[in-house]
């Protein structure tokens, strides 16, 4: 069965307790359950990960690119958290690994602080889902599957 990597960056392990007015009350475990349920519906395995460490995220992106090249994966759903706005290294990893990727943000980053308006991920993403809460993960999974269907 084909897989999708759902990758989460720094502080997303604090979902449900960190600024619930911005990010909601659902936990990262709730997001994982949502993704696994949608994955079952769509016929894809979900590899769900979170790290607060940039290098771990980069390694996961490299591995995902290799899995896509082998035909084992459709790509990545990625919420890079604050690294979205700071990490050229993540940009380069996505581009270098040739990995199809949907960028996800739970909050509407464009309605927040000015520094959150810029993304180093967006220029190398296949698509971007912003401000739909944790439902954005579901739509990102559906988008990756739809891209496979469109390209087949």
């Amino acid at each position: 069965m084909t897989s999708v990597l759902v990758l989460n960056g720094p502080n997303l392990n604090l979902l449900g307790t960190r600024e619930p007015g911005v990010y909601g009350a659902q936990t990262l475990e709730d997001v994982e359950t949502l993704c696994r349920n949608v994955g079952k519906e769509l016929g894809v395995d979900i590899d769900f990960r979170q790290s607060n460490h940039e290098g771990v995220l980069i390694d996961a992106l490299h591995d995902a690119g290799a899995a896509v090249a082998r035909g084992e994966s459709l790509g990545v759903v990625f919420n890079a958290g604050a690294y979205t706005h700071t990490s050229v290294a993540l940009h380069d990893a996505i581009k270098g690994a040739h990995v199809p990727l949907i960028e996800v943000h739970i909050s509407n980053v464009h309605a927040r602080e000015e520094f959150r308006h810029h993304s180093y991920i967006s220029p190398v993403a296949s698509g971007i889902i912003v401000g739909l809460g944790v439902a954005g993960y579901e739509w990102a999974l559906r988008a990756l599957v739809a891209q496979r269907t469109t390209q087949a």
Side-chain angles (χ1 to χ4, degrees), residues 10-78:
N11 300 312
L12 287 157
N13 56 304
L14 300 177
L15 278 179
T17 59
R18 177 181 174 230
E19 299 183 74
V22 174
Y23 300 107
Q26 291 174 298
T27 66
L28 193 60
E29 185 176 281
D30 295 331
V31 175
E32 181 174 4
T33 299
L34 169 73
C35 290
R36 291 195 186 285
N37 289 339
V38 172
K40 282 181 192 171
E41 175 192 332
L42 298 173
V44 295
D45 284 332
I46 301 298
D47 179 3
F48 195 92
R49 303 185 204 178
Q50 186 276 330
S51 180
N52 294 317
H53 304 282
E54 188 175 33
V56 172
L57 298 171
I58 290 167
D59 289 343
L61 291 165
H62 291 175
D63 292 344
V68 168
R70 292 190 304 269
E72 299 168 359
S73 176
L74 298 178
V76 178
V77 170
F78 191 24

Side-chain angles (χ1 to χ4, degrees), residues 22-23 84-85 103-123 127-132:
V22 174
Y23 300 107
T84 300
H85 320 292
E103 178 183 359
V104 173
H105 297 284
I106 294 168
S107 69
N108 181 353
V109 293
H110 303 290
R112 298 183 63 199
E113 303 93 338
E114 181 74 26
F115 71 86
R116 295 186 196 276
H117 298 182
H118 179 266
S119 169
Y120 283 99
I121 308 302
S122 294
I128 307 160
I129 299 176
V130 177
L132 298 180

